[in-house]
Amino acid sequence: MALPLFLLLFVYLSIPSTSDAFWSQSDASYISATISEAGLVFAKDLLVERAVDSLTPLRLPDIEKSVRIPVLGGVNMAATNITLSGISISSSTVQPGESGIVIVASGATANLTMDWFYSYSTWFIPIEVSDKGSALVQVEGMEVGLTMTMENKNGTLKLTVTQCGCYMENLVIKLDGGASWLYQGFLNAFADNIRSSVEDAITKNIFEGAQKLDSLLKTVPKKIDVDKISALNVTFVNDPHITNSSVEFDINGLFVSSENAFAYKYLHKTSLLSNSCGRTQKMLSILLDEVVFNSASSIYFQAGVMHWMVDKVPEQSLLNTASWKYIIPQLYKKYPNDDMLLNISLTSAPVIRITPQKIGATILLDMTVDVLDSGETIPVACIAMVVSVSGVMEISGNTLAAQVGLDDFTLSLKWSKVGNFHMYLIQGVIRVFLNTVFVPYVNMHLRQGFPLPIIDGFTLQNANILTVSSGISICSDVAFNTSAGLHSSF
């Protein structure tokens, strides 16, 4: 039975796994995902639907009995081809708590079909008398309940069903054909057996579904590959925290290198962000510490990809020494009418800071001016910059992306082969360059974003992003893609 599937709704990842040796090293958590009461109800409704689908049709064991009927004596009876053909559930509830997560489906009805057969012989009828036909069984007032617990085992969730039960209030058997005496005799002989057979089958199916899900949880990968450079460590940290209205999962959440398992070194663990969705009752909240973003910054800087050679700008004349002859006379004098390149390299990983007011970053870079002279590339000056940007984050599907704008910058001359020149003379040109070339280039990469830990087949919907102290909070509903292959997995 698929009832326990809701544990995976927002934490299952569909990316191939790597070795557990590295991914289980850190016990710090920088991402938390909380399924709210609304999310649990959504998951419960979906899973009850899936459970009903998995239970029907369900073949039950045949039943054979010998009973005594007044006047007739001993009668051999059999019920075969007993099939649970339909279940209808009027209401269901989910309740998390200290003992685990309790799901109860109540007021349910079920329909069964079967074939019946009887035979008997008496002293006054020396030949065997037999008959057969079909029957419909109506189960009323059925209730199914189970309690599950979860614990963290080396970065993977382990699921256990601690209690499970099925109860039927009433059972009505309607025979097609046969003598009138058969109805009561058949009911007396088979009602309890049919009842226990259905209860046992449903209970067994629930345990089998839980075992299947527990096996699936063991295969949940511990990283999401972002690109060839980085991956997101999504090993679980600590046991899930279950309250009377939510279930919270703690995830490591740091970026690591895809190639050599280089991990971002962050020794100080900041306090985990508190749920800041407030009165907005969304199904899911995902809290990301600013350390997550700084770990990404560090990984890409260590990979050596934060440099850029600029040979085209909106005002292309700026990349010719002729445009600089009045600002940097020695440059034009030494290299008249030569084209230029701007070699931009970050000198350290950008530092991201998040406050309730904004998301900001400080970028330290060197801009080396190269002159193309007679086919030779000649570095002539290097300007050190400190650039401050701020921006917003946005959700595109299940991807978290961003875009920034220029706040401020400072310049200092690091070295020069064309004489000393004052930074204030080129400040206006640099501002235009940053706004029209540098910031758009940064945003092109930020728009690619990175995937959030959402199970394949589910999509964030109507998501809101809030900035809090040292992190961001994503509050979202979730939509299920009915065409996803998830159905076949349970």
Side-chain angles (χ1 to χ4, degrees):
M1 191 175 183
L3 282 173
L5 173 61
F6 83 98
L7 304 179
L8 279 180
L9 286 181
F10 311 116
V11 296
Y12 175 73
L13 304 170
S14 56
I15 310 297
S17 181
T18 60
S19 156
D20 291 352
F22 167 73
W23 301 105
S24 300
Q25 286 180 1
S26 176
D27 59 356
S29 169
Y30 299 97
I31 295 179
S32 70
T34 302
I35 307 174
S36 69
E37 185 175 4
L40 291 174
V41 170
F42 165 81
K44 177 264 301 177
D45 290 342
L46 175 63
L47 293 166
V48 167
E49 179 185 345
R50 299 270 64 77
V52 169
D53 289 345
S54 71
L55 278 169
T56 54
L58 179 64
R59 179 72 180 272
L60 304 178
D62 295 342
I63 305 171
E64 295 184 7
K65 275 199 169 186
S66 294
V67 298
R68 296 197 61 81
I69 304 294
V71 179
L72 297 178
V75 179
N76 297 317
M77 293 184 176
T80 60
N81 296 323
I82 307 171
T83 304
L84 180 62
S85 56
I87 297 177
S88 176
I89 296 177
S90 61
S91 65
S92 57
T93 60
V94 56
Q95 181 60 58
E98 292 184 1
S99 61
I101 302 167
V102 180
I103 297 178
V104 176
S106 57
T109 60
N111 298 317
L112 295 92
T113 61
M114 65 182 179
D115 297 327
W116 58 265
F117 169 83
Y118 77 85
S119 66
Y120 68 92
S121 62
T122 65
W123 61 270
F124 60 86
I125 303 178
I127 62 173
E128 184 179 79
V129 178
S130 64
D131 198 1
K132 62 182 179 180
S134 59
L136 296 176
V137 181
Q138 179 77 22
V139 177
E140 299 173 346
M142 184 169 67
E143 183 173 288
V144 181
L146 73 154
T147 302
M148 298 169 291
T149 61
M150 290 176 292
E151 58 181 331
N152 178 28
K153 291 290 187 181
N154 298 321
T156 299
L157 292 181
K158 178 174 178 55
L159 170 71
T160 304
V161 174
T162 57
Q163 295 181 12
C164 181
C166 178
Y167 167 76
M168 299 179 186
E169 184 176 312
N170 192 26
L171 186 146
V172 178
I173 301 176
K174 296 181 180 180
L175 300 180
D176 179 19
S180 60
W181 58 264
L182 179 62
Y183 288 87
Q184 189 60 44
F186 201 93
L187 180 62
N188 293 340
F190 290 97
D192 289 342
N193 294 83
I194 293 173
R195 182 193 304 272
S196 62
S197 183
V198 172
E199 292 174 348
D200 291 346
I202 290 177
T203 302
K204 179 182 177 182
N205 201 275
I206 290 175
F207 275 105
E208 288 178 349
Q211 291 172 357
K212 183 178 180 181
L213 180 56
D214 183 55
S215 297
L216 183 60
L217 285 169
K218 291 182 175 65
T219 68
V220 173
K222 297 181 178 181
K223 72 165 185 172
I224 304 176
D225 288 321
V226 178
D227 50 33
K228 294 181 179 180
I229 296 172
S230 73
L232 188 65
N233 183 344
V234 289
T235 51
F236 290 100
V237 178
N238 306 319
D239 292 335
H241 180 58
I242 303 175
T243 71
N244 60 4
S245 61
S246 65
V247 179
E248 178 183 319
F249 303 91
D250 293 338
I251 300 170
N252 176 271
L254 294 183
F255 281 78
V256 295
S257 170
S258 292
E259 294 184 354
N260 54 19
F262 166 79
Y264 173 71
K265 302 300 182 183
Y266 192 83
L267 301 179
H268 173 62
K269 170 66 173 69
T270 58
S271 59
L272 193 62
L273 306 174
S274 60
N275 191 321
S276 57
C277 291
R279 296 181 180 179
T280 304
Q281 185 60 286
K282 298 286 188 177
M283 297 178 186
L284 172 69
S285 65
I286 303 175
L287 308 175
L288 298 95
D289 196 292
E290 66 182 20
V291 176
V292 173
F293 307 103
N294 282 310
S295 71
S297 173
S298 177
I299 291 299
Y300 285 98
F301 178 77
Q302 292 290 335
V305 297
M306 291 187 171
H307 63 266
W308 178 30
M309 189 69 74
V310 181
D311 59 359
K312 294 186 187 310
V313 295
E315 185 59 50
Q316 192 64 24
S317 62
L318 291 175
L319 292 183
N320 188 281
T321 57
S323 297
W324 299 84
K325 62 182 178 180
Y326 299 115
I327 301 175
I328 312 175
Q330 290 190 46
L331 173 63
Y332 179 72
K333 182 178 180 180
K334 194 170 183 178
Y335 305 101
N337 297 312
D338 280 345
D339 289 332
M340 300 188 304
L341 297 175
L342 302 179
N343 189 347
I344 298 175
S345 296
L346 272 64
T347 56
S348 64
V351 177
I352 294 93
R353 291 288 179 261
I354 303 177
T355 68
Q357 291 72 38
K358 72 173 186 177
I359 302 171
T362 302
I363 305 170
L364 278 63
L365 59 89
D366 284 348
M367 184 174 72
T368 301
V369 180
D370 295 336
V371 172
L372 303 178
D373 185 60
S374 301
E376 184 182 359
T377 302
I378 304 172
V380 295
C382 181
I383 300 170
M385 297 187 191
V386 179
V387 180
S388 300
V389 298
S390 63
V392 295
M393 292 187 177
E394 54 192 24
I395 298 290
S396 177
N398 292 338
T399 299
L400 181 63
Q403 63 177 9
V404 299
L406 179 65
D407 284 346
D408 199 3
F409 66 96
T410 61
L411 306 174
S412 62
L413 185 61
K414 202 165 186 177
W415 55 263
S416 173
K417 296 179 181 179
V418 290
N420 191 22
F421 51 92
H422 298 291
M423 291 299 100
Y424 72 87
L425 294 175
I426 64 171
Q427 192 160 2
V429 176
I430 295 298
R431 182 179 296 276
V432 172
F433 167 77
L434 291 174
N435 278 317
T436 61
V437 179
F438 179 76
V439 170
Y441 179 79
V442 171
N443 283 332
M444 178 183 68
H445 290 278
L446 293 178
R447 279 194 296 270
Q448 298 175 13
F450 67 90
L452 293 166
I454 308 296
I455 181 173
D456 186 35
F458 293 85
T459 305
L460 297 182
Q461 192 174 66
N462 303 320
N464 298 325
I465 300 178
L466 308 173
T467 57
V468 294
S469 178
S470 300
I472 68 167
S473 172
I474 301 171
C475 308
S476 180
D477 289 329
V478 177
F480 178 59
N481 179 7
T482 56
S483 63
L486 188 66
H487 290 70
S488 61
S489 299
F490 298 90

